[in-house]
Amino acid sequence: MSLEIQWQAPVLTLAGILDRNTVPALWQRRAGFKGLDTLAVSGLDKVDTAGLAMLLELCEQYPDTKVIGASGRLKKLAELGDLDAILPIEHA
């Protein structure tokens, strides 16, 4: 499986797998997300630590960004890495 990247300002929608194999494609496009304020991640089936680092990078580059639709696994990964305080995950 791969990573689907849909950019429709101001929302970046990610689906599929965000891992060390797919992060480079997103990394190359990160400068083009001008005005990003929402990362919609409900379509992600898998996120590893490289993917989590990429999400953090996007949130750092675009400080007003919030993460919506995070799975329990993604929330737990952020929590285990003690990153839940700096990754702006919207809680339902």
Side-chain angles (χ1 to χ4, degrees):
M1 189 178 272
S2 61
L3 177 66
E4 290 180 38
I5 303 167
Q6 289 186 322
W7 170 240
Q8 188 170 3
V11 179
L12 176 62
T13 303
L14 303 174
I17 297 177
L18 183 59
D19 65 6
R20 65 184 179 92
N21 296 316
T22 61
V23 160
L26 185 56
W27 180 262
Q28 291 176 338
R29 294 183 57 187
R30 75 190 186 288
F33 303 132
K34 301 290 185 218
L36 175 66
D37 75 2
T38 303
L39 277 166
V41 298
S42 63
L44 288 175
D45 299 316
K46 177 184 172 189
V47 178
D48 70 2
T49 54
L52 181 60
M54 184 72 234
L55 294 176
L56 288 166
E57 169 62 26
L58 287 169
C59 290
E60 183 175 296
Q61 186 171 353
Y62 302 99
D64 295 328
T65 300
K66 63 186 174 292
V67 178
I68 62 168
S71 68
R73 287 181 176 182
L74 178 55
K75 291 175 186 175
K76 188 67 171 176
L77 183 61
E79 183 182 308
L80 289 172
D82 202 23
L83 301 171
D84 52 328
I86 60 173
L87 186 64
I89 295 175
E90 295 267 315
H91 295 281

